[in-house]
Amino acid sequence: RVAPQERAPWTLHSAPDQGGTGPVAVFNFGGVRLGHIELEVEAPAGTVVEMAHGEHLDDLRVRASVGDRHFADRFVCRDGLSVLRVPFRRLGARFLQVQLGFPKDGGPHEAVIRRLDIIEAGPRREVRGTFESPDRLMESVRE
């Protein structure tokens, strides 16, 4: 399993035929990860970055809204390198979807995602005693 961070950087370009939407990229962590989002992106000033996180894909997109719950973040880039770190909010996700909205100045645009990761943060507990069960699911929960 290769985490998305190990394959960075990625370059995303604007295209004239996108109908007002910017490029979209979906990153698969290969399994659900629990932790904090870290994103470093180089983009023109005013580029809007929208990130959705979830555990499954519908229509090849991450479902960012389920009922009254929302699983997305948005921020606006300054010129050059912008960094998003959210250490006070933990999330669980297998997929991260990044969509860029470039400034509407008519020019072609490009953004480079330098780093995208979920920094794992789970409870650190000392394992005391042993546990054995004929149920494999219970064994995996214990692990």
Side-chain angles (χ1 to χ4, degrees):
R1 175 178 122 183
V2 176
Q5 176 52 36
E6 295 172 15
R7 297 185 184 213
W10 300 277
T11 303
L12 303 174
H13 303 275
S14 63
D17 60 347
Q18 286 178 316
T21 65
V24 176
V26 177
F27 300 92
N28 183 351
F29 287 94
V32 176
R33 293 181 62 185
L34 175 67
H36 312 286
I37 291 179
E38 286 195 359
L39 173 72
E40 295 178 6
V41 60
E42 282 186 49
T47 299
V48 177
V49 177
E50 295 178 335
M51 290 190 315
H53 57 274
E55 297 177 16
H56 63 277
L57 299 178
D58 286 340
D59 302 327
L60 300 177
R61 299 284 176 113
V62 174
R63 188 63 56 211
S65 181
V66 178
D68 291 337
R69 296 168 295 155
H70 301 281
F71 305 100
D73 297 285
R74 174 186 290 168
F75 75 97
V76 180
C77 296
R78 62 180 178 192
D79 194 35
L81 183 66
S82 296
V83 178
L84 173 70
R85 288 192 178 96
V86 188
F88 51 84
R89 183 171 60 94
R90 245 183 359 190
L91 58 91
R94 176 180 178 171
F95 301 101
L96 281 178
Q97 175 181 309
V98 176
Q99 180 165 352
L100 302 177
F102 290 114
K104 304 213 183 290
D105 58 11
H109 294 291
E110 174 179 293
V112 178
I113 297 176
R114 298 276 175 213
R115 177 173 172 79
L116 175 68
D117 209 351
I118 296 177
I119 304 304
E120 294 192 78
R124 304 283 188 248
R125 296 188 179 137
E126 179 183 343
V127 177
R128 296 182 180 178
T130 61
F131 176 81
E132 291 182 26
S133 173
D135 186 344
R136 283 189 280 159
L137 177 60
M138 294 304 293
E139 290 283 347
S140 68
V141 168
R142 170 66 177 176
E143 287 177 22

